[in-house]
């Protein structure tokens, strides 16, 4: 996509995260990117930090773009935006929407169902190279049109659109559960008497090492638990109390609540 022009409509935090990661990974150059936003302060910030084009008119940028990223809020005037894109953009330009809760059918009504439309639920680990974005395509769009762009800010899982809400509550919200676990695990070490810095380092190292063990061995977590825990031993006593805490069911209820809220927000739109 060396010569492609990418136009972002909306220059908020998620758009900036995508731009920052794509530039850092070398997927895009600043010269390929233009941004439009109603907030002049955001445009000045993006210009100063990344040297992207924030001065072209919306019509000029749309007429040159092969890929148009819709990064506005769901309550913004998508009808007016659709009219502008239909008037100014090439019919072959690909629409990439990161607007929460707006379906491919709705996007087709706004921007034209005959053009390629890609609905993306971006991950929040864009700067790390980890994390999956969930991606659904309309019948006109193909993976080859967007994959290189999407891989610039993480990994990609293509989904049936009916799975998007589940993916959002489970996968995209996933780092929240991990952060919370690490915080709680660190506090447990401090409660038991370790200095916080040591507890923090142990928690992070255990998290990284456990993931590496699962990947290297290909074993199920239960198999590694059996290997680690001898009869009547220290680890088994710890797991006994964890089982009594309703930990697994609490985590599962948290994911279901996040999925439910995702669906509610989509219905409101």
């Amino acid at each position: 996509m060396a010569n492609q022009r990418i136009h972002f409509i909306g220059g908020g935090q998620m758009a900036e995260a995508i731009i920052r990661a794509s530039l850092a990974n070398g997927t895009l150059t600043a010269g390929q990117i233009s941004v439009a936003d109603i907030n002049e302060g955001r445009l000045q910030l993006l210009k100063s930090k990344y040297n992207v084009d924030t001065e072209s008119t919306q019509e000029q940028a749309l007429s040159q773009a092969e890929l148009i990223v819709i990064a506005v809020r769901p309550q913004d005037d998508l009808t007016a935006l659709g009219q502008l894109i239909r008037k100014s953009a090439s019919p072959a330009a690909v629409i990439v929407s990161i607007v929460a809760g707006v379906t491919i059918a709705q996007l087709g009504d706004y921007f034209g169902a005959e053009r390629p439309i890609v609905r993306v639920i971006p991950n929040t680990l864009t700067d790390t190279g980890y994390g999956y974005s969930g991606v659904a395509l309309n019948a006109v769009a193909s993976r080859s049109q967007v994959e290189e762009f999407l891989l610039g800010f993480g990994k990609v899982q293509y989904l049936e659109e009916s799975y998007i809400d589940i993916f959002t509550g489970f996968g995209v919200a996933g780092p929240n559960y991990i952060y919370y676990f690490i915080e709680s695990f660190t506090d447990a070490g401090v409660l038991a008497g370790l200095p916080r810095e040591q507890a923090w380092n142990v928690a992070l190292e255990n998290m990284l090492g456990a993931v590496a063990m699962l990947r290297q061995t290909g074993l199920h977590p239960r198999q590694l638990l059996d290997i680690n825990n001898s009869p009547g031993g220290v680890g088994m006593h710890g797991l006994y109390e964890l089982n009594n805490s309703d930990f697994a069911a609490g985590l599962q209820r948290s994911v279901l609540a996040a999925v439910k809220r995702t669906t509610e927000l989509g219905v409101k739109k």
Side-chain angles (χ1 to χ4, degrees):
M1 60 187 315
N3 298 316
Q4 283 193 320
R5 297 282 303 181
I6 317 295
H7 181 55
F8 286 78
I9 300 178
Q13 294 296 331
M14 197 65 239
E16 182 181 358
I18 292 172
I19 291 170
R20 182 173 61 243
S22 298
L23 293 176
N25 293 330
T27 309
L28 297 175
T29 64
Q32 292 177 264
I33 301 171
S34 55
V35 185
D37 196 289
I38 58 174
N39 185 331
E40 186 61 32
R42 286 294 301 171
L43 293 178
Q44 291 176 3
L45 181 145
L46 294 171
K47 177 71 174 178
S48 65
K49 289 180 72 173
Y50 308 107
N51 197 31
V52 296
D53 175 14
T54 58
E55 295 167 352
S56 295
T57 66
Q58 191 86 281
E59 289 81 0
Q60 289 172 333
L62 285 171
S63 68
Q64 298 172 11
E66 282 89 9
L67 202 150
I68 301 166
V69 181
I70 311 297
V72 299
R73 301 171 303 172
Q75 63 268 34
D76 287 340
D77 191 348
L78 292 171
T79 299
L81 195 54
Q83 291 171 349
L84 181 61
I85 287 176
R86 287 173 186 264
K87 176 183 174 183
S88 304
S90 163
V94 180
I95 301 292
V96 176
S97 170
I98 63 170
V99 185
V102 181
T103 66
I104 285 178
Q106 291 169 319
L107 293 167
D109 290 339
Y110 291 127
F111 305 116
E114 70 284 356
R115 72 164 65 243
I117 294 176
V118 181
R119 184 182 173 192
V120 178
I121 306 299
N123 80 84
T124 57
L125 300 170
T126 51
D127 292 318
T128 69
Y130 291 101
Y132 286 104
S133 295
V135 180
L137 311 174
N138 77 346
V140 187
S142 67
R143 297 183 181 189
S144 62
Q145 291 174 305
V146 291
E147 187 152 286
E148 188 173 353
F149 169 70
L150 297 173
L151 290 175
F153 51 94
K155 300 179 175 67
V156 176
Q157 283 198 3
Y158 293 96
L159 309 164
E160 294 294 329
E161 192 180 23
S162 59
Y163 292 135
I164 285 285
D165 287 354
I166 299 172
F167 185 87
T168 302
F170 173 67
V172 177
N176 293 335
Y177 312 124
I178 305 299
Y179 296 147
Y180 189 80
F181 172 80
I182 291 174
E183 179 193 37
S184 301
F185 188 47
T186 301
D187 283 348
V190 175
L191 179 65
L194 274 183
R196 180 162 291 279
E197 182 178 357
Q198 286 186 328
W200 173 251
N201 288 332
V202 169
L204 289 186
E205 197 67 15
N206 278 345
M207 178 66 70
L208 291 170
V211 172
M213 280 293 288
L214 289 167
R215 286 184 166 161
Q216 288 176 17
T217 63
L219 295 176
H220 189 278
R222 173 51 56 187
Q223 293 174 288
L224 291 173
L225 286 170
D226 286 344
I227 292 170
N228 282 356
N229 294 293
S230 57
V234 172
M236 205 63 221
H237 276 75
L239 288 175
Y240 174 75
E241 285 301 327
L242 197 58
N243 287 335
N244 282 337
S245 73
D246 202 28
F247 173 78
L251 179 60
Q252 290 156 9
R253 286 195 297 270
S254 299
V255 171
L256 293 179
V259 172
K260 180 173 181 284
R261 183 56 179 158
T262 304
T263 303
E264 289 171 351
L265 291 173
V267 170
K268 282 183 180 179
K269 173 58 190 169

